[in-house]
Amino acid sequence: MSQLSFHGLIPVWLAAVIGVAGAVATIRLYMLEQAKMGLGRRAALAILRIGVIGTALFLLLRPVLVTETPQERPRPVALLIDNSLSLTQRDQRLTAQDRLRVAIAENLVPPDTAVPADGPLLELPAGVSENPSRAALIQAVLKHPGLGILPGLAKAGPLKVYLFGQRKRAVDDAATVLDAMKNDETRTALADAIRDVLRGGEGDLPAAIVVATDGQDNASAAGLDEVAEEAARAGVPLHIYGVGSSDVGNLELKDFLAPDTIVYDDTVAVPVRWRCRGFKQGSAEITVSLGGRVVARKEVSLQDAGEFRDVLSFTPRNTGQGEEKTDLTVTIKRRGEETFVEDNTARRPVSIVDRKVKILLVEGAPRWEYKFLQTALLRDRRVEAKFLPAGGDRRTLMSGPPYLPAFPAQRAELFAFDLLILGDVPAAFAGPEKAAWIRDFVREGGSLIVLAGRQHMPSSWHGTALAEVLPVEFSPGKGSRNDQERTHPFVPVLTREGARSEMLALDDTPEESARAWQTLPGFHWTFNATRLRPGAVAYTVHPRLKAGEQPLPVFSGQFYGKGRVLFLGSDETWRWRADHGEKLHGRFWGQVIYQMGLPHLVGTPKRLQLSLERAENVLGRPGHVYARVFDAEFRPYGGAKIGARLVRLDAAAGEERTRTLVLEAMPGQPGDFQALLANDAPGRYSLRVTDPAEGSLEFRVGLPPEHELTVAGLAEDPLRVAAAASKGAFYREEDLRNLVAAVKPAKAAFVVRHEELLWNAPMLLLFVAMITAEWILRKFSNLS
């Protein structure tokens, strides 16, 4: 098809007007000419003049003759190859079918070998790789002479090869694609890579897109199903080779909670957090073992991509052996085979004792805190509690257990207890001598909890032996504000030390515990201490009030001698029952009683306490480890730093197993040290300190939820769905023999455009010829 177009300096309409006007003027001019000449000569001269004008206008219009010829060319074929880290994973080929697929890829059996879903299979030939990486399988398939994928796709159309991770990049020469594969991309954008090919504007749409991938996608903005529908609308089928094993899944034991010391014949609850990936059905068994003997088990159903929490309980029976040190081990095991089992087990050392924590609770008036605490202690089978209501009825005191008629009359009687709880009791009740007994009781390893009161505790004890034991300093007189003032409820704020303390944990993880503290009902009263004693620790503080230049401590503690003291500046934990029932109140007091009472019961108070900033350590996310250290006299250790060894328990041959770590003293916090953990390699670790005190802490560094190296199998289902939605096909190794034939060539229509310039040399010569002819004819006609 041809078409005339103009690219001149003047528009066509103006040229037409000028041409018509010029023709009319020329005819009139020659008709009125006075010279004698015939009509024929006049007409010839007029025609020549009009031709000159027309030719000049034609040249000014710059005419071009455009000819368009429709033609076709083959559309390219795009090959996308996954170049991410997940392709370095070595799937454990647990089934005979998966092992046969490796043999097909490695050209050890014919490519048309059938892989039945069940039933007997051919005996595998020698030399089949054991659990090759996914990248190795892709390379084997591309080199397979019987499949001929690269030359076969090139016959279907010009072959364009791309590698993709977070972004796609072209491979200039398909022959070098195997060398270009490094599989070092830390993110995978599978869906985005396909969309880039569809929308890339790199020439014609491809006849088909062939993809080799394990289907893991953690960086795409688009969904694979959306891109598949877009490919179908564009008429570009997706042919997807799924590499890897779809029978890969992983159960990961995240963490479990258990006390360091447990009591014979007491029921122990063990909360267990675990994660499931890849297993969409089936079941697993969680077991708790004590000293190698299973004491609890629970069967759980598996659901893909979820994190779960289960609680297992057991009761250790008294064997008559007295105190025992052993390991508590929790394991989760799938009913069936599992590829990766290194993260299925966790353990921690525990001590088992054969007697209960002995507690003496002395209280003045029967306030709410005392009533609910008494009930909690009587229900707790781990403790043996005695009660002394100092202001109570005499008949109650003489009624026998669990009441005592008076404060212990002998030091030995007081020292027989593990934990002493003093409520709102006046100093005169005990007297100077027994106040000194209480001080000595703590100094020799006993534990003391002081519950502040509005009348006597601790204000009336100012200047006594008890005052030097407490972690706060105070003035004589009442420590409360004017009882007539309108109260403003407040929620105590956890300090860093409080957040790390197991004693104050209201949930299973630090993050969940912090949220629980923020939602507690507020306190209306707290004791007005003047300041925190040097070396003491504030666990919670008032959100607004100050004690000197520091926030007012509400819950605080310290070591005194070999013993431990906890001061509760408010007597209103009973208010927590309003919204949460006994759950949080019971958990709090159970932990406080156990943590405070056990050191004296076991007889070995810890001089070193290690804790982590977060319950779950993740690769690439540094976190702190904290240590609280005491010297031999149980005073905060005053050194500038302490050394530690970080041991990777599951390090493979050739990997770094041990590194030195230095914990630096924290400014303004005597006895507290910290160090930053790099968390630069996943695995199980043990942090070990030997000087100035011994202790260890085991933890795991896990992978982020969508990390490239997270154990996950071939995402077969979404790949199959995407291929079908695009009118393409999904392939395993046994299907690859059909891939080349399934990629149909396609033509792309295009138009060849030819432009011929008509304002050329011949037209210019014609213009000159007509001017010359007119001039000659005018001369012969005696015209000027």
Side-chain angles (χ1 to χ4, degrees):
M1 181 179 68
S2 299
Q3 182 179 356
L4 188 64
S5 64
F6 299 93
H7 305 279
L9 300 176
I10 60 174
V12 175
W13 65 268
L14 182 57
V17 170
I18 295 173
V20 171
V24 171
T26 297
I27 294 172
R28 181 175 177 79
L29 174 67
Y30 280 108
M31 291 299 294
L32 298 176
E33 184 63 53
Q34 298 296 319
K36 292 183 179 181
M37 55 182 169
L39 182 59
R41 183 170 292 188
R42 290 176 184 271
L45 287 169
I47 290 172
L48 286 172
R49 177 65 61 87
I50 292 172
V52 169
I53 294 172
T55 303
L57 291 172
F58 188 73
L59 290 173
L60 288 174
L61 287 173
R62 296 183 180 180
V64 177
L65 183 62
V66 180
T67 303
E68 293 183 346
T69 305
Q71 295 186 13
E72 289 184 331
R73 61 184 171 219
R75 286 162 59 182
V77 174
L79 174 60
L80 282 169
I81 301 175
D82 197 333
N83 193 44
S84 64
L85 271 173
S86 67
L87 271 292
T88 63
Q89 294 199 57
R90 298 176 177 270
D91 299 316
Q92 291 188 11
R93 302 283 168 157
L94 303 177
T95 66
Q97 287 82 356
D98 266 347
R99 292 192 290 272
L100 180 56
R101 290 185 174 106
V102 175
I104 293 174
E106 296 181 338
N107 197 22
L108 297 175
V109 298
D112 59 353
T113 301
V115 180
D118 50 26
L121 301 178
L122 293 174
E123 183 177 348
L124 294 179
V128 178
S129 299
E130 184 176 356
N131 306 327
S133 70
R134 299 169 187 177
L137 280 183
I138 291 179
Q139 295 214 2
V141 163
L142 294 180
K143 292 187 293 187
H144 196 301
L147 296 174
I149 290 178
L150 290 176
L153 293 179
K155 290 179 181 178
L159 183 58
K160 295 184 177 182
V161 182
Y162 305 91
L163 298 178
F164 72 91
Q166 185 154 357
R167 295 178 179 83
K168 74 173 179 63
R169 61 182 176 89
V171 178
D172 295 333
D173 185 355
T176 65
V177 64
L178 300 182
D179 295 329
M181 290 176 60
K182 304 300 181 185
N183 298 105
D184 55 359
E185 299 262 5
T186 58
R187 303 281 283 169
T188 304
L190 167 61
D192 285 356
I194 298 173
R195 175 171 281 182
D196 281 351
V197 173
L198 291 171
R199 298 182 179 181
E202 301 173 4
D204 300 324
L205 273 175
I209 299 177
V210 180
V211 187
T213 181
D214 58 7
Q216 304 304 321
D217 191 336
N218 54 21
S220 286
L224 186 58
D225 52 348
E226 301 172 30
V227 174
E229 293 175 1
E230 185 176 335
R233 290 192 297 270
V236 181
L238 303 179
H239 295 272
I240 303 176
Y241 164 39
V243 59
S245 173
S246 57
D247 293 326
V248 174
N250 185 48
L251 296 179
E252 178 185 0
L253 185 67
K254 301 293 294 180
D255 192 18
F256 74 90
L257 297 179
D260 294 333
T261 304
I262 55 182
V263 179
Y264 282 118
D265 300 323
D266 176 51
T267 299
V268 180
V270 182
V272 178
R273 292 192 305 122
W274 57 280
R275 178 181 290 164
C276 175
R277 288 184 176 277
F279 298 124
K280 302 178 179 63
Q281 56 185 359
S283 62
E285 184 181 56
I286 304 174
T287 59
V288 178
S289 300
L290 189 63
R293 183 173 61 87
V294 176
V295 293
R297 63 178 77 240
K298 182 177 184 179
E299 186 162 316
V300 293
S301 298
L302 301 183
Q303 304 173 41
D304 188 24
E307 188 168 309
F308 307 93
R309 180 182 182 273
D310 288 277
V311 179
L312 285 76
S313 300
F314 69 96
T315 304
R317 297 306 178 187
N318 196 339
T319 59
Q321 298 179 356
E323 182 180 340
E324 181 182 354
K325 295 184 181 296
T326 185
D327 283 337
L328 186 67
T329 305
V330 178
T331 301
I332 184 168
K333 185 177 181 181
R334 182 183 178 230
R335 300 281 191 190
E337 296 188 70
E338 184 183 352
T339 298
F340 185 74
V341 296
E342 284 79 358
D343 56 0
N344 288 19
T345 301
R347 63 176 51 85
R348 61 185 56 184
V350 296
S351 297
I352 313 176
V353 295
D354 61 356
R355 73 177 181 88
K356 299 180 179 182
V357 178
K358 293 185 176 181
I359 300 174
L360 172 59
L361 171 55
V362 183
E363 181 58 275
R367 50 185 175 162
W368 287 108
E369 195 77 298
Y370 167 75
K371 293 177 181 179
F372 288 117
L373 180 54
Q374 181 186 43
T375 302
L377 292 176
L378 290 174
R379 289 177 179 174
D380 195 333
R381 292 183 295 179
R382 301 171 299 176
V383 305
E384 180 183 325
K386 302 294 184 182
F387 302 94
L388 177 55
D393 188 281
R394 184 66 185 169
R395 288 172 297 179
T396 301
L397 298 178
M398 301 301 297
S399 63
Y403 296 101
L404 290 182
F407 195 83
Q410 303 294 327
R411 278 172 57 99
E413 294 178 15
L414 174 62
F415 279 53
F417 289 97
D418 301 304
L419 172 62
L420 173 63
I421 304 176
L422 290 179
D424 198 12
V425 182
F429 174 78
E433 181 183 17
K434 293 181 179 177
W437 290 3
I438 296 173
R439 178 195 61 199
D440 296 342
F441 168 76
V442 177
R443 179 183 290 160
E444 295 304 318
S447 292
L448 172 66
I449 297 176
V450 174
L451 274 168
R454 303 168 195 250
Q455 300 298 321
H456 309 290
M457 180 61 74
S459 54
S460 70
W461 294 77
H462 186 272
T464 68
L466 177 66
E468 66 183 80
V469 174
L470 298 182
V472 295
E473 296 181 2
F474 55 94
S475 302
K478 290 186 178 182
S480 61
R481 292 158 191 79
N482 188 342
D483 290 339
Q484 303 303 315
E485 289 182 0
R486 181 175 179 177
T487 59
H488 298 279
F490 69 94
V491 176
V493 177
L494 277 177
T495 64
R496 179 182 294 181
E497 292 77 11
R500 299 201 313 261
S501 172
E502 294 182 6
M503 186 166 58
L504 273 67
L506 297 183
D507 214 316
D508 296 342
T509 68
E511 296 79 11
E512 293 168 342
S513 178
R515 285 192 290 269
W517 274 93
Q518 293 168 1
T519 60
L520 291 173
F523 292 162
H524 289 254
W525 175 84
T526 188
F527 180 76
N528 189 22
T530 57
R531 70 167 184 151
L532 190 69
R533 193 180 295 275
V537 171
Y539 296 115
T540 68
V541 296
H542 198 288
R544 300 181 298 273
L545 300 180
K546 299 285 187 178
E549 296 181 356
Q550 301 297 322
L552 175 67
V554 180
F555 296 170
S556 56
Q558 71 171 1
F559 275 90
Y560 183 84
K562 296 180 181 179
R564 190 174 180 184
V565 183
L566 177 65
F567 177 75
L568 302 184
S570 178
D571 61 351
E572 297 183 350
T573 64
W574 59 270
R575 293 185 183 275
W576 298 349
R577 299 168 55 90
D579 295 338
H580 304 276
E582 293 188 9
K583 179 183 175 182
L584 297 187
H585 183 266
R587 175 167 181 156
F588 171 79
W589 276 107
Q591 292 171 168
V592 166
I593 295 299
Y594 221 47
Q595 292 284 328
M596 295 293 294
L598 281 175
H600 186 266
L601 174 65
V602 177
T604 54
K606 290 184 178 181
R607 290 175 48 206
L608 173 67
Q609 302 164 16
L610 294 169
S611 60
L612 295 171
E613 180 179 359
R614 291 183 291 268
E616 185 174 350
N617 287 272
V618 177
L619 177 67
R621 185 182 177 190
H624 284 92
V625 60
Y626 301 101
R628 181 143 179 87
V629 190
F630 301 92
D631 61 18
E633 299 299 323
F634 279 84
R635 292 186 293 266
Y637 179 66
K641 58 186 177 182
I642 59 175
R645 287 189 306 127
L646 185 64
V647 181
R648 184 175 176 186
L649 301 176
D650 54 0
E655 293 182 329
E656 182 184 28
R657 177 173 175 81
T658 304
R659 65 176 66 171
T660 301
L661 200 66
V662 176
L663 287 81
E664 305 281 351
M666 299 174 66
Q669 298 177 230
D672 285 341
F673 297 80
Q674 69 175 2
L676 187 66
L677 297 173
N679 295 334
D680 53 358
R684 291 175 48 239
Y685 291 84
S686 175
L687 181 70
R688 300 170 184 175
V689 179
T690 56
D691 185 53
E694 292 189 359
S696 64
L697 175 67
E698 288 195 14
F699 62 95
R700 182 188 300 278
V701 176
L703 295 170
E706 294 186 345
H707 192 273
E708 285 291 318
L709 295 180
T710 299
V711 177
L714 167 66
E716 183 171 344
D717 290 346
L719 292 180
R720 283 189 180 276
V721 170
S726 69
K727 306 298 190 294
F730 176 81
Y731 304 84
R732 299 298 301 272
E733 285 77 6
E734 65 269 26
D735 309 312
L736 287 174
R737 66 185 188 277
N738 303 318
L739 173 59
V740 170
V743 177
K744 302 299 183 184
K747 300 290 186 179
F750 70 99
V751 174
V752 176
R753 181 184 177 96
H754 176 71
E755 295 184 353
E756 184 177 353
L757 300 178
L758 299 182
W759 45 289
N760 47 27
M763 290 299 296
L764 183 60
L765 290 175
L766 176 62
F767 176 74
V768 173
M770 286 190 293
I771 290 178
T772 304
E774 183 189 7
W775 179 78
I776 294 172
L777 188 56
R778 285 179 66 86
K779 288 298 182 182
F780 277 104
S781 302
N782 296 318
L783 296 176
S784 58

